[in-house]
Amino acid sequence: MKQTFSRDLHAPLLLIGVTALLAGCQNSQPPQQDKIELTATNPLPVERPDGQIALSVDFLTEKLGLAQPKQWVLINNGQTLPQQWIDTDADGQVDQLLALADFSANESKHLTLSQGKVKMVLSKRVNAELAKKYGADKQDGIYQGGDFVSTRKTIVPEDHTVGDLLYKFEGLGWESEYVGYRLYLDQRNTTDIFGKKRPEMVLEEVGQPGTNYHQLNDWGMDVLKVGPSLGIGGIGFYHDGQVKRVDSARVIDASIVQDGPLYANSQVRHLGATYQQQPFHQTSRYGIYAGSRLTWHDASADGAPVEFVTGLVKHPNTEKLVSADAQNSWAYLASFGTQQSEAKDALGMAVFYQTADVLTVMEDSHNYFVRFKPNLQRVSYGFAAVWQQDVSGISSKAEYRQWLDGQLQRLNHPIQISLPE
């Protein structure tokens, strides 16, 4: 576990543009009168709804001297903020207190850390879903009958094949109010998009027998054709001038770490994969926050020195977009167009990456992609989708570019948390 003011690839989710960046915290402040005063500042001249305030356990214990940090809550103007203790590194221990607050342009909020318990009931605004079929008979390679049962963990059977209907929507899914994603739990090991037309959590109903998520439903639909690509934000490696997916694992396992109400994350491991004929294990963690479209992907390799890449499927009738200023800490690679959308309408996809981690931006016949520096065995980045029929209503490249630049501005200028002098 790391402090939120450091650049920590074990906790990449802290780097969202509205995440707390602790400033002016060189001096420890011991708790006084059962409360501690903090200030959260939005440095940008724009509104920031659902601003994320993340205080690490290390900061709470080492800087603020709290012996039992989980007994403290964040309050603003006498109201307890919506908050959740979260485990970003999937080690089974919470490492941050996450709270959400709406910020006006250039607003500073006076916060109070107070001893107590959160008494509010929060609506579920993010979700993770993993369901496997039980009570089915496998006939001609397809699991017939039975029921999908939600589970927190799975080890993918060795005889699992693409399209055998063992897993609901073929793998692991997660969503916020704005968008859903799924990861194929098979040799494809890449990420797809569920476009959403309503804010409720919908993944429980997606992929149930008798339904078809490739057709438009009242909740939305699958909007992307992945093919042999990295999909949206899939992890791969670069070898002999080619992008390859991590698709040779002997064992695949997946687990849901947390599924809301404000933050959800999952972990997927590909064990015994090969790179240049050397074995390695690859681990991915996927996290999503309430009020956000971005999935934060932390990918690591143990064993062979893998040269990581990530990217976006390259479709006809689309345009590649890149951020204008490469001097900032964060940049993006994006695309916009019909993208062979299942709905035959506008779809935007983007990868947000840290410029210090990337060697170059490239493309091949199937992908637009970024090559990470070859010495990195852990990489962290975000990816996001915007669909014409979702609540954004974005239908033009100009509107999409405005959204991209707004997200980038927030990443490069995070909310700052400070202690009184």
Side-chain angles (χ1 to χ4, degrees):
M1 297 180 292
K2 305 290 184 180
Q3 297 177 7
T4 57
F5 48 80
S6 66
R7 180 174 175 275
D8 173 22
L9 295 184
H10 287 274
L13 312 180
L14 303 182
L15 297 174
I16 289 181
V18 287
T19 297
L21 177 66
L22 293 171
C25 296
Q26 290 81 6
N27 298 320
S28 298
Q29 178 184 358
Q32 299 175 3
Q33 300 178 353
D34 296 330
K35 67 178 183 180
I36 300 173
E37 303 299 327
L38 303 170
T39 300
T41 302
N42 171 19
L44 291 174
V46 295
E47 295 181 353
R48 297 167 86 153
D50 288 317
Q52 298 166 12
I53 301 166
L55 305 178
S56 75
V57 170
D58 285 353
F59 170 75
L60 295 171
T61 56
E62 296 174 11
K63 293 293 182 180
L64 300 187
L66 305 185
Q68 297 177 304
K70 290 182 68 175
Q71 294 183 5
W72 293 71
V73 297
L74 268 175
I75 296 171
N76 173 236
N77 289 333
Q79 300 294 318
T80 302
L81 292 175
Q83 55 200 274
Q84 177 185 344
W85 285 96
I86 65 176
D87 174 12
T88 61
D89 56 11
D91 68 350
Q93 302 292 325
V94 296
D95 46 56
Q96 294 177 36
L97 174 60
L98 169 71
L100 299 183
D102 296 336
F103 286 82
S104 302
N106 297 121
E107 180 186 8
S108 290
K109 290 183 180 293
H110 298 290
L111 308 178
T112 301
L113 264 173
S114 179
Q115 284 190 312
K117 294 183 179 180
V118 178
K119 297 180 181 180
M120 63 177 58
V121 177
L122 299 176
S123 299
K124 192 173 175 64
R125 300 177 57 192
V126 292
N127 180 41
E129 175 74 359
L130 175 61
K132 184 178 179 180
K133 186 171 282 188
Y134 289 88
D137 295 322
K138 194 171 185 180
Q139 301 175 10
D140 299 324
I142 305 293
Y143 285 90
Q144 306 284 352
D147 298 295
F148 287 117
V149 178
S150 294
T151 182
R152 304 284 296 193
K153 297 182 180 181
T154 189
I155 298 176
V156 178
E158 292 184 8
D159 63 352
H160 173 50
T161 57
V162 174
D164 66 7
L165 303 184
L166 177 62
Y167 292 100
K168 187 157 66 89
F169 50 74
E170 300 188 90
L172 171 71
W174 59 93
E175 63 182 320
S176 71
E177 308 99 313
Y178 302 125
V179 65
Y181 304 97
R182 61 168 168 157
L183 177 76
Y184 296 109
L185 287 180
D186 51 48
Q187 66 267 30
R188 289 171 293 180
N189 185 29
T190 194
T191 319
D192 200 355
I193 305 166
F194 288 129
K196 291 182 62 173
K197 298 183 68 174
R198 66 176 203 241
E200 295 86 3
M201 301 296 97
V202 302
L203 287 184
E204 185 175 347
E205 63 186 271
V206 175
Q208 292 287 359
T211 65
N212 185 350
Y213 48 75
H214 294 293
Q215 297 178 354
L216 187 62
N217 297 270
D218 62 349
W219 60 264
M221 65 183 297
D222 178 346
V223 293
L224 182 65
K225 290 185 178 180
V226 169
S229 75
L230 295 171
I232 177 172
I235 194 68
F237 57 85
Y238 193 74
H239 179 57
D240 289 340
Q242 294 184 321
V243 170
K244 297 184 179 295
R245 299 192 292 209
V246 180
D247 58 5
S248 59
R250 290 185 293 103
V251 177
I252 303 172
D253 65 39
S255 60
I256 294 174
V257 180
Q258 290 180 292
D259 63 354
L262 304 179
Y263 170 75
N265 66 331
S266 304
Q267 178 171 276
V268 180
R269 300 188 303 169
H270 284 70
L271 307 177
T274 56
Y275 174 75
Q276 296 182 342
Q277 299 182 335
Q278 298 181 60
F280 74 101
H281 304 321
Q282 193 271 312
T283 300
S284 287
R285 295 195 295 270
Y286 302 91
I288 194 166
Y289 289 83
S292 177
R293 297 176 178 276
L294 277 71
T295 287
W296 290 98
H297 187 180
D298 177 36
S300 61
D302 179 22
V306 177
E307 295 187 27
F308 277 129
V309 298
T310 189
L312 308 167
V313 58
K314 180 180 177 182
H315 280 313
N317 303 315
T318 65
E319 183 175 351
K320 180 177 75 172
L321 305 171
V322 295
S323 45
D325 188 355
Q327 302 304 312
N328 287 318
S329 298
W330 286 86
Y332 63 72
L333 168 65
S335 62
F336 186 78
T338 57
Q339 313 233 35
Q340 294 189 359
S341 164
E342 297 279 9
K344 298 179 173 59
D345 55 7
L347 177 65
M349 298 186 291
V351 170
F352 295 88
Y353 60 89
Q354 298 172 84
T355 54
D357 291 345
V358 169
L359 185 65
T360 187
V361 175
M362 303 175 67
E363 59 184 89
D364 61 15
S365 58
H366 299 299
N367 305 278
Y368 304 114
F369 64 96
V370 295
R371 280 182 68 187
F372 291 98
K373 292 179 178 178
N375 61 319
L376 295 178
Q377 293 303 284
R378 183 183 298 276
V379 296
S380 301
Y381 57 89
F383 60 83
V386 174
W387 178 42
Q388 182 175 345
Q389 293 189 53
D390 69 27
V391 296
S392 72
I394 291 175
S395 60
S396 70
K397 183 180 74 171
E399 292 172 327
Y400 182 54
R401 175 75 84 169
Q402 184 178 19
W403 181 86
L404 286 169
D405 290 340
Q407 295 299 306
L408 194 62
Q409 190 178 35
R410 289 159 172 77
L411 285 169
N412 283 311
H413 301 280
I415 287 173
Q416 298 182 349
I417 302 297
S418 59
L419 297 168
E421 296 181 359

